């Protein structure tokens, strides 16, 4: 079992930055692929970024590529999403997710989810 707790959400003006963190509890964190997803009101949950376990590797959603960076610290059991050049359309609840063995951009392939943290970008 893996428990995930997100932090770092808040209100920021367009063009600003925020850093989200996800703390994971449980064994073998380094083997888990970690992902970030987001869901805006009235919209489906959307893939943001993922960082593979094991040998590493990253994936990004097209709408955040070049602006967001995902990183992880296996010793601390954390994954971070650095969000720069934020836009109002980035406003959403951001969720951290984990899955064993293999990076994925598909939410149905993630077994563990955090409660989410709200990010609001004002224009």
């Amino acid at each position: 079992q893996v428990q995930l707790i997100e932090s770092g959400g808040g209100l920021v003006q367009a063009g600003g930055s925020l850093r989200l963190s996800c703390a994971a509890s449980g064994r073998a964190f380094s083997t888990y692929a970690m992902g970030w997803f987001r869901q805006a009101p009235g919209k489906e949950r959307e893939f943001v970024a993922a960082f593979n376990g094991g040998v590493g590797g990253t994936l990004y959603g097209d709408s955040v590529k070049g602006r967001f960076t995902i990183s992880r610290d296996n010793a601390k059991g954390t994954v971070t999403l650095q969000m720069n050049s934020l836009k109002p359309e980035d406003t959403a609840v951001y969720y951290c997710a984990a899955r064993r063995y293999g990076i994925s951009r598909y939410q149905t392939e993630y077994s563990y989810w955090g409660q989410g943290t709200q990010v609001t970008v004002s224009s």
Side-chain angles (χ1 to χ4, degrees):
Q1 286 287 341
V2 175
Q3 291 185 329
L4 305 172
I5 300 176
E6 304 97 335
S7 61
L11 173 65
V12 64
Q13 288 189 330
S17 298
L18 275 178
R19 178 186 291 253
L20 304 183
S21 292
C22 175
S25 63
R27 294 183 173 181
F29 172 78
S30 64
T31 66
Y32 283 78
M34 301 299 298
W36 286 97
F37 292 79
R38 68 186 183 185
Q39 189 166 21
K43 295 188 176 181
E44 293 187 354
R45 194 169 294 186
E46 174 190 20
F47 171 72
V48 175
F51 201 122
N52 202 6
V55 297
T58 57
L59 289 174
Y60 291 93
D62 289 341
S63 60
V64 307
K65 207 172 291 184
R67 299 188 297 123
F68 291 11
T69 303
I70 188 171
S71 59
R72 66 189 294 163
D73 185 330
N74 288 332
K76 295 182 178 179
T78 59
V79 61
T80 299
L81 186 68
Q82 177 66 43
M83 306 185 294
N84 298 329
S85 302
L86 283 161
K87 306 175 181 180
E89 51 264 43
D90 294 317
T91 296
V93 177
Y94 284 70
Y95 297 90
C96 176
R99 71 183 300 265
R100 289 296 295 271
Y101 307 129
I103 198 169
S104 173
R105 62 177 65 239
Y106 302 107
Q107 59 175 307
T108 56
E109 296 184 353
Y110 285 80
S111 301
Y112 306 100
W113 291 84
Q115 292 300 306
T117 185
Q118 176 70 47
V119 171
T120 303
V121 184
S122 63
S123 58

